Amino acid sequence: MWNNIELLTSDDTGSGCLSVGSRKENVTALYQADLLGKISSEKTSLSPKIQAFSLSHGFIIVADQSVILLDSICRSLQLFLIFDTDVDVVGLCQEGKFLFVGERSGNFHLIYVTSKQTLFTKAFVEKALDESQRTYRNLIIEKDGSNEGTYYMLLLTNNGFFYITNLQLSQIEQAIENTDLDSAKKLQGQFKCSFISTENYHSCLSLVASQSGTFASKTSVIIGGTGSCAFSKWEPDSTKKEMSLKNFVGTDIIKGAKSFQLIDNLLFVLDTDNVLSLWDAYTLTPVWNWPSLPVEQFVLTTEADSPSSVTWQGITNLKLVTLTATAKEKMRSLIIYSLPSMETLYSLEVSSVSSLVQTGISTDTIYLLEGIHKNDPNLCEDSVSDLVLRYLTEVLPENRLSRLLHKHRFAEAESFAIQFGLDVELVYKVKSNDMLEKLALISSDKSEQSKWQQLVDEAKENLCKIQDDDFVVNFCLKAQWVTYETTQEMLSYAKTRLMKKEDRALPASSDAFMEVLKAHAKLTTFYGAFGPEKFSGSSWIEFLNNEDDLRDVFLQLSEGNFACAQYLWLRHRADFESKFDVKMLENLLNSISTQFPLENLCSWFKNEVIPFVRRIVPEGQNILAKWLEQASRNLELTDKANWPENGLQLAEVFFTAEKTDRFGFASSWHWISLDYQNTEEVRQLRTLVSKLRELIILHRKYNCKLALSDFEKENATTVVFRMFDRVSAPELIPSVLEKSVRVYIREQNLQEEELLLLYIEDLLKRCSSKSMTLFDTAWEAKAMAVIRCLSDTDLIFDAVLKIMYKAVVPWSAAVEQLVKQHLEMDHPKVKLLQESYKLMEMKKLLRGYGIREVNLLNKEIMRVIRYILKQDIPSSLEDALKVAQGYRLSDDEIYSLRIIDLIDREQGGDCLLLLKSLPAAEAEKTAERVIIWARLALQEEPDGSEEDKAWRISVAKTSVDILKILCDIRKDNLQKKDESEEFLKRFQMVASLQENFEVFLPFEDYSNTALVAGLREQYIKAQEAAQAEHKHRGPPGPTPARGTHLSIKSKLHRQALALQVSEQELEAELTLRALKDGKVVAALSKCRDLLKHYCNADTGRLLFVVCQKLCQMLADDVPMVAPGGLSLPSEIHDLACHAVTICSPDYLLDVLELSKYTLTAVELCRQCQMDDCGMLMKAALGTHKDPYEEWSFSDFFSEDGIVLESQVVLPVIYELISSVMPPAESKRHPLDSISLPYCSTSEGENRILPLVSSISALLRSLQECSQWELALRFVVGSFGTCLQHSMSNVMSISLSKQLLGKNTLANSRHIIMELKEKSITFIRENATTLLHKVFNCRVVDLDLALAYCTLLPQKDVFDNLWKFIDKAWQNYDKILVRPEGGDLLLLPC
């Protein structure tokens, strides 16, 4: 099974040779062979059946039962299939998407390559009886020109061929991509298949087709085989709609044809005797043959653009590639001929199991599929284990040589270069470069001596063949020779090659010669620094190529090779001296390890480095001094056994180094450049030297071993302290003082007594800064031992006092004895000791609570007192008072802390008992503190937890009780009592809201008016929601509903009371809310209740506001909830009248104006025909009157008119009222008015103009309904209002001009004058109309008629009277009335 596929390139193989073992290659033209891939089988195969096809969209390889599909360049595997039987034919089409496979079993498959899915399988013929005989001979697939994406197929069998049309592969592909399997099967069912039998002519071996149009009309088929005909030609027959025989060639010319290749009209035929011949494809006549050439397989190639361009005249462009048999049984020959001369261009022996890959004509690449076998003597000659795919391309000799050199086949390359006259020295140079690589690989392994010695010998031999001396020298310098001796030998050889040149003067100055000399010097340096035993090719090349000599020095120093570094320094000092700088000095010092032997390091610095630095880079002395200082300090850690002498030795090197003059001679006197002897670094190094000398004396003479860092922080006094610190036992202090400390004190000229006291202070200070336990009293014993060494009494008492202050409480027996001993003495400082006793008692008290610190700050004292009180034991308060007295704190502060603690414990009763037990003054101060604390505590933001709520309630309730006590205490001080009562009210409100309504806020937020209003709003909404829920869900009975309503109302009033809102204010707010929600009845009901229970100015103001809002709602036609029978205009007027009687003087004028206009609205309402709102419709007047009514009202005039429409009239009158009486937008000032007649105006403002439209609309409606009497009254009243507004704002023309401006005043005057003219005209016309109405009545009201006459000019009156007389006719009563009216008119005259 050929299932191991390996795709390679020529670079992967490492060899492009076709041979397996040795084989002959005859070259006239050069061909380059490369390997594309290899196919292996698990088992060796005997004579496998192989074939291959190179197509435009893929490369197909067939090996027995395996089919391998590669891409067109053989770089990736597309498909690998294994079938049950051997594969005879394959084909590929539709851009490589569809693969056709014909098996020897007769099954023919159509496979979709992308999804590896078999779409179609059919057995066209049965399997041949002879298993070695092929079932299918050939397969041709071509595009059908009649339809895009459609193909036809010719399938050749032993007895004929099938031609299959209508292969709609593009549509099948689209259906598969769309997963439309039904369409794909339907398209497969549309394949058309026909079979043409050739059994009467010959058995089939080969097939070739020529296409010039569609398959049905212009496709010719030539079939070759054996039998009565060698080959035959078939063409479509339009009459029979099938293929028919057109021509044939008998067996008298050739016995049979087994292979064809057609190029235009040229047909190359390979017969069964392996003779190749050329025929004319149209006439099937022979043109040429080559009987002497036994051909087993052939292909044609050309460099032409297309096969159609090849004609008989252009046959010279063709090359014939053949596989022929050889004398060797295991081998065959691949021979390339040029046509038509048949000159052999190239021949090569290949294995017997080989096959030429069938390709197109227009290609310059020859593919070969060759079977090879392993070199196993147990295998037979025809066994094959691997199939290799190779390709041959024609190349130039230079390219072939380059290829051979690339593959390191130097022997072949040398002979090839000699054969073709190419540059042989190039071969030697490339071989030398290859040896360079091999030397680099083998130089690290000296165990393979024979191999590298052989390689060195080959390199020497090859170098002798090269004439280029520069190349030889370069090779000797670059080669990684294995041993030191070989390297020296090859450098000498290079030097000799250069010396042998004819020009003897040239080598001495040439660059190559200088490079060789430099390499010799480097090799000597390497030998001296490292020795021959450390020599290796890689290390030598690295050392040779290193241009930075100092880098080697740094490297050796960092690796610890001090001797090697010194040698390199001496060898290269002259080389890097000119470029040495401060940066290099830093790198040098950073590379030095202090692990080197100190003697060697100091010697090198003293004799080499320091003089070198002073001479070359003097500015580097600072860096050097700093490094020496740090290195000396580091020795304390790295070489502690020799410290501090080793540090002093290294630090002194800088000052003891020899000076080197400009001639290089050293002088023995100490020298430092004057420019650098006083720098900071040098001074620090000099100080270090001094300190180290002192430290050595301290170590050796006084046996006081201090670290250098500690010693540098000390002075003579503190050194004495450190001597005492190092005494392990207090009993040894006197002897240590006598033997060493006193000697040091005298040498330093110090005062012993004062110094001992200072030590005690230092000891106490250091020990007090540490945490101590009861058992940590070693410092006390040491301090008392030092005291015993004192002789001055004052100093002794000072020391005792200091110990008392720092001793651990309770005191130890030694401290106690020491204090008692000095208390019995007669000394002024004994009183200080007694005070310390009192302090000790305080310490004991605090220690009982676990507190050791006594020296407390104020904050710490209060923290301690709180801690004591928190213990809640019977003596806590008493102990806290003692501590407070000790620290001079007030008692009331302690009592307040106690009460606060009790409040936190929710023990309010105990708080009150404690507060009542105190004196009045003490209790007042304590209560004040507690209340301040309560305010601050309650000011914190609540966290919402149950514990926090309970604590806040406890604080508020207890604060209320405390404030009651405080008010009782302050009853004689009225100012403070009022202040306390104010806080009491606030805390009572807070306590009530918290306990009863769970309102928890910061304390100051309870005084926030906006926030309290928001809470009240929230409660009111809750009440409304509860009422609504009860209305929907409550029981139908009246009694429970009433009780629930009262409960909700009671809760609301209690909430208001808690918020310090009066019942009247609450009811007023509820009234306005009901009015806002459109609940008119509820609002009116509340107004009546307020009039009944709170008949005061505030209620009057509320009634005024309610009337205003109702007018505005009627003007805006806001929906309202009102029962039937309710006369809302009358109710509004009634409320306005009540408001007049009880309102404050500030509102009186506005309320009067409102009542006047609401009366007008009531009169208008009476003239309306009302709907179901409950207002009565006015009775219509007619000729039939009630006698009583006629008798009762005979002397009075009642105007007849059309009933008004309430929907038209009422919104207008209330809109006018809202304009005349607008709602107040801000707080009113005393005696300020908002109604139009009495309000003030400002510049640019005109409040009359907006009224004109409302007045005009209302008058128009009254005129249309003949309501002249109402119209007259309305005109007179409205004009009076406008005139009063104008006159009240213009009391003085000059002053008004200044206040309002000329334009505003002029506009106001113009509007008033225009209204005046219109009003006069309307009044006269109205009076005339009313006069007519009065005289036309059956009973004339003379008084009213006279009144109307006064509104008209006298002439108009007499004219109207005469008109009435003229129209009276024979109506005697009316004629009598006119003169009576005239008499009345004459009275004023």
Side-chain angles (χ1 to χ4, degrees), residues 471-503:
F471 179 85
V472 173
V473 171
N474 192 37
F475 180 86
C476 293
L477 293 175
K478 289 183 177 180
Q480 297 187 19
W481 306 108
V482 182
T483 62
Y484 168 78
E485 293 78 9
T486 306
T487 305
Q488 189 176 28
E489 179 185 355
M490 295 311 297
L491 290 177
S492 300
Y493 173 75
K495 179 179 178 182
T496 303
R497 284 287 296 261
L498 291 175
M499 293 294 293
K500 286 183 179 180
K501 288 190 175 182
E502 294 180 0
D503 190 356

Side-chain angles (χ1 to χ4, degrees), residues 112 159 167 402 421 490 534 575 841 865 906 918 1063 1080:
Y112 185 55
N159 299 324
L167 300 177
S402 298
M490 295 311 297
K534 292 187 179 180
D575 298 333
E841 291 179 356
I865 292 173
E906 298 183 7
L918 300 178
E1063 185 176 359
V1080 178

Side-chain angles (χ1 to χ4, degrees), residues 19-36:
S19 63
V20 181
S22 61
R23 61 175 77 176
K24 295 181 179 179
E25 180 182 17
N26 297 321
V27 179
T28 300
L30 289 176
Y31 280 83
Q32 176 67 46
D34 292 284
L35 182 62
L36 282 175

Side-chain angles (χ1 to χ4, degrees), residues 73-87:
I73 59 175
C74 299
R75 289 293 185 267
S76 64
L77 178 65
Q78 304 293 319
L79 189 63
F80 175 71
L81 300 172
I82 299 176
F83 294 91
D84 297 333
T85 58
D86 292 344
V87 176

Side-chain angles (χ1 to χ4, degrees), residues 118-132:
T118 302
L119 304 178
F120 173 83
T121 298
K122 183 177 180 179
F124 286 98
V125 294
E126 296 181 357
K127 181 180 179 181
L129 297 176
D130 187 3
E131 293 185 356
S132 62

Side-chain angles (χ1 to χ4, degrees), residues 457-692:
D457 295 339
E458 291 180 4
K460 293 178 180 179
E461 181 182 354
N462 195 62
L463 289 176
C464 294
K465 299 179 182 179
I466 300 174
Q467 301 299 319
D468 188 353
D469 293 331
D470 292 334
F471 179 85
V472 173
V473 171
N474 192 37
F475 180 86
C476 293
L477 293 175
K478 289 183 177 180
Q480 297 187 19
W481 306 108
V482 182
T483 62
Y484 168 78
E485 293 78 9
T486 306
T487 305
Q488 189 176 28
E489 179 185 355
M490 295 311 297
L491 290 177
S492 300
Y493 173 75
K495 179 179 178 182
T496 303
R497 284 287 296 261
L498 291 175
M499 293 294 293
K500 286 183 179 180
K501 288 190 175 182
E502 294 180 0
D503 190 356
R504 299 289 179 159
L506 181 61
S509 60
S510 66
D511 294 339
F513 191 77
M514 295 303 295
E515 286 292 329
V516 173
L517 293 179
K518 181 180 177 182
H520 264 292
K522 280 267 190 178
L523 185 62
T524 304
T525 304
F526 188 93
Y527 183 85
F530 306 103
E533 62 278 357
K534 292 187 179 180
F535 186 88
S536 66
S538 59
S539 60
W540 157 244
I541 292 299
E542 182 181 1
F543 186 78
L544 176 64
N545 295 331
N546 181 28
E547 298 295 334
D548 188 359
D549 299 320
L550 271 175
R551 188 173 70 86
D552 286 335
V553 177
F554 300 158
L555 179 63
Q556 298 305 317
L557 287 174
S558 61
E559 291 180 355
N561 300 326
F562 186 72
C564 180
Q566 280 185 297
Y567 181 81
L568 293 174
W569 173 277
L570 293 174
R571 286 281 294 179
H572 297 294
R573 184 175 61 183
D575 298 333
F576 58 72
E577 185 177 279
S578 59
K579 59 182 180 181
F580 195 85
D581 56 10
V582 174
K583 183 64 178 177
M584 294 180 181
L585 175 61
E586 291 177 352
N587 294 335
L588 174 67
L589 297 176
N590 292 335
S591 302
I592 297 175
S593 171
T594 54
Q595 301 299 327
F596 298 145
L598 186 61
E599 296 293 336
N600 298 339
L601 184 62
C602 292
S603 175
W604 185 48
F605 265 87
K606 181 178 180 181
N607 300 324
E608 291 291 338
V609 177
I610 296 176
F612 178 82
V613 170
R614 288 171 176 169
R615 180 168 55 88
I616 303 300
V617 280
E619 63 274 15
Q621 292 183 81
N622 293 334
I623 300 172
L624 188 58
K626 186 174 182 180
W627 185 88
L628 287 171
E629 178 191 357
Q630 188 60 44
S632 300
R633 294 180 182 275
N634 293 340
L635 287 174
E636 184 177 6
L637 301 176
T638 58
D639 190 12
K640 198 171 185 65
N642 300 314
W643 177 260
E645 287 80 2
N646 52 1
L648 178 62
Q649 182 182 0
L650 183 59
E652 284 182 336
V653 167
F654 186 82
F655 303 100
T656 59
E658 297 180 348
K659 173 193 172 185
T660 305
D661 58 19
R662 60 188 181 91
F663 299 106
F665 299 104
S667 59
S668 58
W669 52 282
H670 297 176
W671 174 86
I672 304 176
S673 174
L674 294 176
D675 296 335
Y676 295 98
Q677 63 181 350
N678 291 321
T679 61
E680 182 66 24
E681 291 81 1
V682 174
R683 286 199 300 271
Q684 289 180 359
L685 183 60
R686 185 180 291 110
T687 302
L688 176 63
V689 171
S690 176
K691 289 288 184 181
L692 287 174

